[in-house]
Amino acid sequence: MATDVVVPTLGESITEATLGQWLKKPGEAVKADEPIASLETDKVSVEVPAPTAGVIAELVVGEGDTVNVGAVIARIDAGATASTAATPAVEDRNAIGQAEAAAPAEPAAAPVEDAGDPVTLSPSVRRAVLEHGVDPSKIKGTGKDGRLTKDDVIAAAKTQPKPAAAAAAPAAAPVAAAAAPAGERREERVRMTRLRQTVASRLKEAQNTAAILTTFNDVDMTAVIEARNKYKDLFEKKHGVRLGFMGFFVKAACMALRDVPAVNASIEGDEIVYRDYVDVSVAVSAPNGLVVPVIRDAQDLSVAGIEKTIGDFGARAKAGTLKLEEMKGGTFTISNGGVFGSLMSTPIINPPQAGVLGLHRIEERPVVRDGQIVARPMMYLALSYDHRLIDGREAVTFLVAIKNAIEDPTRLLIDL
């Protein structure tokens, strides 16, 4: 008996999603509650579990299709086994459907499939595999259930021996020549993910609605680096998490937001909403891009509590298990572009928030201390804010408070 697999309830006000990736193929056996597909919503990827044990009989929609809550996306032969349920008709029909669905959007994926690779790859991972010329079957995935991510492919490409790559080039040459004649200019059209569409829409909304202005400062990271180097081993031993810089910045932001409450406020209609709590949104990397979970009541957390929360967010973002409610309701955002090498940027606020703090890379620069030119580890800070709500004086005061707390971390302990 066939059992329908339907799109589950995705959260308040979310009525549709995009089928991001099939995790199972027709003819494959599944267990009850085993993930069989990944849905992309406006904020996060959600896995669809099998409602019963059996064998995948049919995939009703293709990757990239938009589906509504409650819609049927697949059918399972309940109680069947892989050896008895998969018929040539089902397999052929699905193969044709998948080929038709994949051909317009993913023409470059054929070499990976022709090579006999049994690994199910998302479009972004396929592109990375082809771009870097690596064998996906030899890469250990770090995503959910061991699936490959784009970061896994890039890391494997960096460690791939160059001689081996050179030796493999002649064998691959005929395929490359057949697929792309010399001198041919290529283009590839890839449908935007729902997450990317939402990000684009919200960023443009912020620019159209808020009066965004950015103020800059720089901060000497010497004291924080010395404190981290001195206590990082004891910190990790006691708390089970690494001591990073974000804990210091979140604590400093909480203190500065208390002193300059307008940066933690928002505009609702013709009213300004001030808050006595701080819910800090922090950007973390996920396989499909950056996501922004929220540290609730950050003003009540210690540096260790903040680091534990961020570490948990990072692990679950990589595994794709963050919940929608964990990414709603932030009052202020901290974005660390420095981990990617950014020297300076003008971040865009996340409505209805009124401010976002941008952190950047640390590099030694010449500065003057006590009349002497010395080299110090410096970081540029950027605060983008909604000028409708926050005056320049308040913005500068807030950023200077962050700078003072980081350059003298004792302030975080004695609440100055």
Side-chain angles (χ1 to χ4, degrees):
M1 181 180 68
T3 300
D4 291 341
V5 180
V6 301
V7 178
T9 301
L10 301 171
E12 183 181 355
S13 76
I14 299 179
T15 60
E16 64 180 20
T18 299
L19 198 297
Q21 180 182 4
W22 283 110
L23 308 179
K24 292 290 183 179
K25 299 177 181 178
E28 289 191 35
V30 296
K31 301 176 182 177
D33 296 325
E34 182 180 3
I36 64 171
S38 175
L39 297 176
E40 295 177 354
T41 69
D42 293 348
K43 292 180 176 291
V44 70
S45 294
V46 178
E47 291 185 334
V48 180
T52 184
V55 171
I56 301 294
E58 181 183 3
L59 305 181
V60 178
V61 300
E63 293 183 354
D65 290 350
T66 298
V67 293
N68 295 320
V69 171
V72 177
I73 59 173
R75 294 184 174 88
I76 296 176
D77 281 339
T81 62
S83 59
T84 60
T87 64
V90 172
E91 292 178 350
D92 291 344
R93 182 171 64 253
N94 184 70
I96 293 172
Q98 286 186 332
E100 292 174 347
E106 296 295 333
V112 175
E113 296 174 359
D114 291 344
D117 176 24
V119 182
T120 302
L121 305 177
S122 67
S124 62
V125 174
R126 289 178 186 172
R127 290 195 298 274
V129 167
L130 293 168
E131 178 182 349
H132 295 283
V134 297
D135 184 351
S137 65
K138 296 180 180 179
I139 304 174
K140 183 178 180 181
T142 60
K144 179 70 173 177
D145 295 328
R147 294 195 297 274
L148 287 182
T149 67
K150 184 177 179 181
D151 290 340
D152 296 332
V153 175
I154 295 174
K158 291 180 179 178
T159 59
Q160 182 174 259
K162 293 184 178 180
V175 177
E184 180 180 349
R185 290 154 54 101
R186 282 174 166 256
E187 291 183 353
E188 181 183 8
R189 294 180 181 268
V190 179
R191 183 175 181 176
M192 292 177 68
T193 64
R194 181 168 295 274
L195 176 62
R196 178 53 56 185
Q197 292 178 45
T198 302
V199 169
S201 174
R202 288 183 61 81
L203 292 179
K204 191 58 184 174
E205 175 192 352
Q207 288 184 320
N208 292 339
T209 303
I212 302 177
L213 187 63
T214 303
T215 185
F216 299 94
N217 215 316
D218 61 1
V219 58
D220 187 340
M221 296 291 291
T222 300
V224 166
I225 290 175
E226 289 177 351
R228 180 175 180 270
N229 291 339
K230 183 177 180 179
Y231 296 111
K232 63 180 180 180
D233 293 336
L234 290 174
F235 185 90
E236 185 170 2
K237 183 178 180 180
K238 179 176 181 178
H239 300 291
V241 65
R242 294 180 59 189
L243 176 59
F245 297 124
M246 282 296 289
F248 292 97
F249 278 103
V250 172
K251 287 296 292 184
C254 290
M255 292 176 54
L257 290 170
R258 182 197 58 197
D259 295 339
V260 190
V263 185
N264 196 44
S266 62
I267 295 177
E268 292 186 8
D270 58 356
E271 297 179 332
I272 299 175
V273 180
Y274 292 98
R275 303 175 176 89
D276 66 353
Y277 59 89
V278 179
D279 289 346
V280 179
S281 303
V282 290
V284 298
S285 294
N288 294 326
L290 291 177
V291 293
V292 191
V294 179
I295 305 174
R296 310 286 178 187
D297 292 316
Q299 77 282 352
D300 297 330
L301 296 178
S302 64
V303 171
I306 293 169
E307 292 290 357
K308 287 180 180 179
T309 303
I310 295 175
D312 175 63
F313 283 156
R316 290 193 291 121
K318 197 170 186 178
T321 57
L322 281 174
K323 299 177 182 178
L324 288 172
E325 55 267 25
E326 293 176 309
M327 289 179 280
K328 293 181 179 179
T331 63
F332 181 75
T333 295
I334 299 179
S335 178
N336 186 6
V339 297
F340 305 108
S342 172
L343 176 64
M344 184 179 290
S345 67
T346 55
I348 300 177
I349 63 175
N350 181 23
Q353 296 177 20
V356 52
L357 176 66
L359 310 182
H360 302 90
R361 77 170 185 250
I362 302 170
E363 64 176 9
E364 285 199 341
R365 293 199 296 269
V367 296
V368 178
R369 294 289 184 267
D370 299 324
Q372 301 294 320
I373 298 177
V374 295
R376 291 292 175 88
M378 304 296 293
M379 175 196 289
Y380 286 117
L381 302 178
L383 175 70
S384 291
Y385 59 97
D386 189 345
H387 209 352
R388 298 177 303 165
L389 175 60
I390 303 167
D391 295 331
R393 177 184 61 83
E394 294 173 309
V396 172
T397 299
F398 173 86
L399 202 55
V400 169
I402 297 283
K403 172 185 172 69
N404 290 339
I406 296 300
E407 292 187 339
D408 184 7
T410 304
R411 290 172 174 263
L412 300 176
L413 299 176
I414 59 178
D415 199 15
L416 283 180

